[in-house]
């Protein structure tokens, strides 16, 4: 009969956590940094204008540089000109 000795034990979830602890800590710190950056710098929406156009049957919103440029696009082929604060 064959006898097998000194086998390694099967790895457990705790072993995996110990092996990857530095990676998990780095991922948690990265996620916190991204959340902090998102809360510190909210997007500016005042003074932005959007031109609505129909592209291949779909509605597309294109950000314009100014209200005058937006109104000029409506005179062309755009459907409407909407200020950013109305999108909320």
């Amino acid at each position: 009969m064959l006898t097998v000795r000194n086998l390694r034990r099967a790895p457990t979830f705790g072993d995996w956590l110990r092996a990857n602890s530095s990676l998990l800590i780095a991922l948690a710190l990265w996620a916190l940094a991204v959340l902090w950056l998102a809360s510190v710098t909210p997007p500016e929406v005042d003074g932005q204008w959007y031109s609505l156009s129909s592209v291949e049957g779909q509605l597309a919103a294109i950000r314009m540089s100014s209200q005058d440029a937006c109104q000029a696009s409506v005179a062309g082929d755009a459907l409407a000109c909407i200020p950013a604060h109305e999108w909320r």
Side-chain angles (χ1 to χ4, degrees), residues 17-62:
L17 283 176
R18 275 188 291 283
N20 296 307
S21 63
S22 60
L23 174 66
L24 294 173
I25 290 170
L27 285 174
L29 290 174
W30 176 80
L32 288 174
V34 168
L35 286 173
W36 177 76
L37 281 174
S39 68
V40 169
T41 57
E44 293 289 328
V45 295
D46 293 336
Q48 293 180 357
W49 288 83
Y50 290 89
S51 172
L52 296 179
S53 300
S54 178
V55 178
E56 295 182 5
Q58 300 293 321
L59 190 63
I62 303 167

Side-chain angles (χ1 to χ4, degrees), residues 1 26 30 33 54 57 61 63 65 69 71 74 77 79-80 87:
M1 180 177 284
W30 176 80
S54 178
R63 187 169 47 171
S65 58
Q71 294 296 334
V74 171
D77 61 346
L79 300 174
W87 285 96

Side-chain angles (χ1 to χ4, degrees), residues 63-86:
R63 187 169 47 171
M64 304 301 284
S65 58
S66 67
Q67 182 180 5
D68 295 332
C70 190
Q71 294 296 334
S73 70
V74 171
D77 61 346
L79 300 174
C81 187
I82 298 175
H85 63 83
E86 289 186 14

